[in-house]
Amino acid sequence: PAGSNVLIRLHCDEATSVVLRTWMTEELCYTMLPTAEHVWEVAIPLPTTPGLFWYYFLIYRKDGRTIRYGNQPDKLGGVGVAYDHGEPESFQITLYDPAYKTPNAFHGANIYQIFPDRFRHAPTKAVDDRKDRYVHKNWNEELLGVGDLRGGAYQELDFYGGTLTGIQEKLPYLKDMGIDIIYLNPIFRARSNHRYDTGDYTQVDPLCGTNTEFTELCEAAKKVGIRVMLDGVFSHTGEDSVYFNHFGHYPTLGAYQGQSSPYYDWYTFNHYPEDYKAWWGILSLPELRKDNPEYQKFMFQPHEGVVPRWIEAGSCGWRLDVAADSGHSPEFNHKFWKEFRRVVKEANPEAIILAEHYGDAMSWLQGDEWDTVMNYDSFMEPISWFLTGMEKHSDARRSDLRGNAAAFFASMTDYGARFTTPSALGAMNELSNHDHSRFLTRTNHVVGRTAFAGPQAANYGVNLAVMRQAVLMQMTWVGAPTIYYGDEAGVCGWTDPDNRRSYPWGKEDHELIRFHKEMIRIHKDYEVFSTGSLLYLHAENNLIGYGRFSEKEQAFVLVQVEGEEREVEVDVWRLGVANGSRMACMMYTCEEGFDMAARMCRVENGKVKVEIGKNGAVLWK
């Protein structure tokens, strides 16, 4: 928080003295003091104004050299993290208003993301009135193939008929797994199976269920300790919507076509009806004018508006689709989300506002707009590159990044510093989701998409040991571990639409499910994994180590890419573990499988020695 004190430590061999330089509105210098084991530290007061606080180190070495240690090398021959975003060549602390709080229920929560059409079918009271959808009769069929005559719009009209009642039917499964929050991709009436082309914000899609069934799902989930979060698409609607009504499918609006439509001014027309502003130029997604007063009233009006209405119907908050695109200018974007936050928090002060965003979200995380974001930059991407060498769409392979400890910690440091502490604790840490290839498929190191590789190729050559490494990291990193439905059951898939396969009920990988359950249990049982601090402990080619620690609990993780069984020495004194303490192995996974057999070791001289295997990961506490 702004105005607080911070203790800054630097582990540095071969230094005779170290100076900390900082600035926000003015540059200040602090002499750091040496402590044990080559650690230098200084406690400093932080500025009282929220914003970005920068710092770097000047290290005076025994050999007479001076090293500037920041986020880039400099002319002094300094070393640091690779950084190419144009900010000062320094580390960053994000200062926030001390009154800023994010919902405690999301701090380290175990989230389960569901693509509603593909999770589970069960009878619904709704009757689908559309005739242009293809609905599979066999739940386990493959997605329609590219060019399939039935498919036409392959990504749009291929349905399996998953329902809200189907999700409710599987609440015992999710409860047994240890899930705290269900995040649903859009459920509102729409033409497509992904439903990001909203057709009616006030109605659940009849193929998915009814408004009443949504409330019933929320109430049933609440009884077993699970919350439900909705996906909000407020940047655009579908062209085939009750608002845009491009195809005239809504006869009640027939008399209002053209400029007489009550929704005409919600959009930007250069020439009606064909020439209009669309999101990223995609004509099926006409962009909304969020500055229109009637649109804002429709969204924000107390009780009746879309935003508060669905909170009151049972949702624990909103995940915001393409949230940075929701304004005609940066100034208006921030104005819109400030009003959005006011309305949400009035409906429920503990509701979450979680945005889809890539890159630095700092300007939205000052305490008066978003609570947190989907954590692509300091979770999904660095872990995918380090463990698989694959880009998150499986569109590129970088062998130089696989096992690259320096690049991994550089990314985590760079982007992680762009969070506030409250927002980091609830950041959505995913390995896969509806927009990217399945993580298990990335373990085959193959560049591919369904269109040219075919769906079956996504299943070949995958490595469950690497998947287990990723899950262990997911359950021990800072943030809210989020499982994309079916990842726990061994579902593979290229990027969308192949990543949206139906859940394989009756054909699950039960051993992988058991591993997820054990890791979720560990994550839930020990608060240190939800709110504890993070410290990097070990970095070498193909091997990393990090610790989570608090005053009461200390734990560390080692992860090895490829390699062979070996012994690794870990400096646990840096986590506050005292000499003579005993540490226990909570999880051991490697190429051959995983186990939780009792393993104990004693701390000697501030260190422990532990075993790790090929494609292994270990968790000790």
Side-chain angles (χ1 to χ4, degrees), residues 300-610:
F300 297 148
Q301 185 177 6
H303 308 300
E304 297 300 320
V306 169
V307 173
R309 175 191 299 186
W310 289 101
I311 297 290
E312 294 172 7
S315 176
C316 69
W318 289 99
R319 178 267 188 187
L320 308 174
D321 185 57
V322 295
D325 293 351
S326 293
H328 300 292
S329 67
E331 294 76 18
F332 180 79
N333 179 283
H334 289 294
K335 180 180 178 181
F336 181 83
W337 292 123
K338 284 179 171 64
E339 181 65 8
F340 187 94
R341 183 180 184 88
R342 183 190 67 79
V343 171
V344 167
K345 300 299 182 178
E346 283 184 358
N348 179 2
E350 292 301 309
I352 192 75
I353 302 171
L354 191 156
E356 177 190 28
H357 187 72
Y358 297 83
D360 191 349
M362 182 53 226
S363 61
W364 290 274
L365 298 176
Q366 297 287 323
D368 55 356
E369 297 182 52
W370 307 340
D371 283 320
T372 189
V373 297
M374 302 176 75
N375 195 3
Y376 292 113
D377 298 293
S378 60
F379 186 78
M380 180 190 280
E381 291 188 358
I383 283 183
S384 185
W385 288 121
F386 179 74
L387 291 179
T388 72
M390 297 298 296
E391 187 268 341
K392 60 184 180 293
H393 287 283
S394 290
D395 280 346
R397 180 175 58 247
R398 289 278 305 274
S399 57
D400 61 313
L401 292 180
R402 186 175 177 226
N404 189 325
F408 172 79
F409 283 132
S411 292
M412 289 299 198
T413 300
D414 178 1
Y415 290 106
R418 295 160 183 257
F419 283 95
T420 65
T421 299
S423 60
L425 294 177
M428 184 180 277
N429 290 347
E430 297 184 293
L431 299 172
S432 319
N433 64 24
H434 60 290
D435 284 329
H436 305 98
S437 61
R438 294 274 183 170
F439 185 88
L440 187 54
T441 287
R442 279 176 247 153
T443 68
N444 66 11
H445 314 301
V446 174
V447 173
R449 289 205 176 204
T450 304
F452 63 84
Q456 289 302 322
N459 305 343
Y460 298 148
V462 299
N463 191 321
L464 289 170
V466 178
M467 182 73 188
R468 291 193 298 270
Q469 288 178 305
V471 173
L472 191 149
M473 295 182 71
Q474 183 182 39
M475 296 297 162
T476 55
W477 201 260
V478 178
T482 303
I483 298 170
Y484 184 44
Y485 82 102
D487 266 12
E488 80 280 14
V491 174
C492 295
W494 303 116
T495 197
D496 64 277
D498 194 39
N499 54 11
R500 303 166 183 175
R501 300 180 185 184
S502 58
Y503 188 99
W505 299 111
K507 300 180 179 180
E508 307 95 321
D509 184 328
H510 290 283
E511 191 69 354
L512 188 57
I513 290 176
R514 186 169 75 89
F515 182 79
H516 276 81
K517 288 172 63 175
E518 292 293 351
M519 285 309 309
I520 291 173
R521 176 189 58 78
I522 291 170
H523 177 81
K524 289 173 74 78
D525 282 351
Y526 300 100
E527 188 176 350
V528 69
F529 299 122
S530 296
T531 60
S533 297
L534 172 73
L535 184 68
Y536 306 154
L537 290 176
H538 195 98
E540 64 177 89
N541 191 37
N542 293 328
L543 180 69
I544 59 171
Y546 59 89
R548 297 296 304 276
F549 65 99
S550 65
E551 290 184 358
K552 296 181 180 179
E553 297 176 324
Q554 301 85 36
F556 72 84
V557 169
L558 292 176
V559 182
Q560 177 171 247
V561 174
E562 293 293 346
E564 299 297 335
E565 187 173 20
R566 58 182 289 196
E567 188 177 69
V568 180
E569 187 175 73
V570 183
D571 292 333
V572 295
W573 64 267
R574 298 177 61 201
L575 301 174
V577 181
N579 277 330
S581 299
R582 293 169 64 84
M583 300 197 73
C585 183
M586 307 191 76
M587 179 61 73
Y588 181 96
T589 175
C590 64
E591 195 75 14
E592 288 73 34
F594 72 95
D595 68 64
M596 292 168 287
R599 296 179 176 88
M600 300 290 291
C601 66
R602 186 177 296 276
V603 180
E604 297 180 1
N605 299 319
K607 306 174 188 291
V608 294
K609 293 181 179 180
V610 300

